[in-house]
Structures are given as C-alpha cells and as structure tokens.
Amino acid sequence: MAQDYMMRLLQQIALMLAAIMAKRKLGKNEEAQQDLASLCPLIVGLSLDTVKQLSPDALANQLISSGVDHASRAVMLADLLLEDGEILEDQGQLQQALPSYIHAFCLLSDAMPALTQEEHALYRPKLDHVSTKLAHLPPNPYTSERLRAHTAA
C-alpha cells in the first residue's frame, strides 16, 4: 500500500514538473516559479528557499532521513532546482541561480549510482549540463570533488 502511494505521488510530481518546464519554455516564469515553490514541500518537506539555504550535505541528509526512495526524490528535486536555476538565469540573476545549480549537481551526482540504466540515459545529460554551469566556480567542499569525478567518468 505505501509503495503504491509513493508511486502515485512520484507520478504526480513528475507531471507537475513537466508542466513547470512547459511554462518556463513559454516564458511564463512567474507562474513557473510559483509552481516550483508549491511543489518543493511535496518532494522534500521544505520550502524552496529553505532548500537553497541548506548545504548540499544537509539537504542530502534530509532526503536520506525521510526514508522512502530518497534517490527518486533526489532526482525530482534536482529537476526542480534546475528549473529554478534556469528561470533565474533567464532573468539575468546568475548569482541567485548558483545555489539551485549547486544543489542540483550534488543531488544528481550522488544519486547516479542508485539509478537504472534508463534513468542514467535521462539524467546524465542533465548532470553534464549543470556541471558546465559550475565549472567556473572556485574550489569548494561541495562541488570540487564531484566535478573532478564527473569529468573523469
């Protein structure tokens, strides 16, 4: 029963993410941001602003401590954060987009070993995309080692 509930919830979240992506592509950034803010608590139980204020390690621990299928939730949250970063970047707010990109990169990087081959095919290009956005960052404890491992792979 709990497994069925989680699968339905994951499917609903995936549909909501697709709608958000469509709104962003249509230039409806304000609506997309409102939807992102509404969706984030469903995925992780925290507001989007709170998520972006956490360190990547603290966010990963939050997902793990929640128990149920944290890898699936991590990639969905990464998708949400990628959209948030893209919207902010489209609005010329690159500095404000960086926390979203950093979190998305860390979440995807950490989740890759738990993903299926099919999921790898979907999320590897996203990981590549966000890694290029972070390549210019100075060395830091959250992304440096992950970026090195990603470029070596």
Side-chain angles (χ1 to χ4, degrees):
M1 276 294 191
Q3 191 72 9
D4 290 341
Y5 170 77
M6 267 314 284
M7 285 305 294
R8 284 193 310 275
L9 181 61
L10 293 175
Q11 289 170 341
Q12 288 174 337
I13 291 170
L15 290 172
M16 291 170 76
L17 272 170
I20 290 167
M21 290 176 192
K23 285 180 182 180
R24 181 181 65 82
K25 289 178 182 172
L26 291 171
K28 298 179 179 181
N29 289 340
E30 202 168 298
E31 283 182 46
Q33 281 184 311
Q34 290 172 354
D35 292 348
L36 288 170
S38 298
L39 183 55
C40 192
L42 293 175
I43 296 172
V44 72
L46 300 170
S47 73
L48 182 57
D49 289 336
T50 300
V51 165
K52 292 192 291 187
Q53 290 174 7
L54 294 173
S55 72
D57 293 339
L59 181 56
N61 288 335
Q62 175 74 24
L63 285 170
I64 291 168
S65 70
S66 67
V68 183
D69 199 6
H70 70 274
S72 294
R73 290 186 13 208
V75 295
M76 280 191 276
L77 183 57
D79 274 335
L80 183 146
L81 289 161
L82 281 171
E83 285 302 307
D84 182 62
E86 295 289 343
I87 291 168
L88 291 168
E89 191 172 351
D90 289 349
Q91 295 172 336
Q93 300 177 37
L94 183 56
Q95 281 304 115
Q96 291 84 350
L98 283 175
S100 293
Y101 288 146
I102 290 168
H103 278 304
F105 176 77
C106 292
L107 288 166
L108 288 174
S109 178
D110 292 348
M112 290 304 274
L115 300 180
T116 66
Q117 288 297 95
E118 187 177 275
E119 291 167 328
H120 267 260
L122 177 63
Y123 288 103
R124 174 63 62 181
K126 292 179 183 194
L127 184 60
D128 293 343
H129 172 71
V130 75
S131 71
T132 62
K133 293 187 176 289
L134 301 177
H136 71 282
L137 287 179
N140 68 74
Y142 301 115
T143 60
S144 296
E145 189 57 39
R146 288 175 174 108
L147 281 167
R148 245 189 315 280
H150 177 69
T151 55

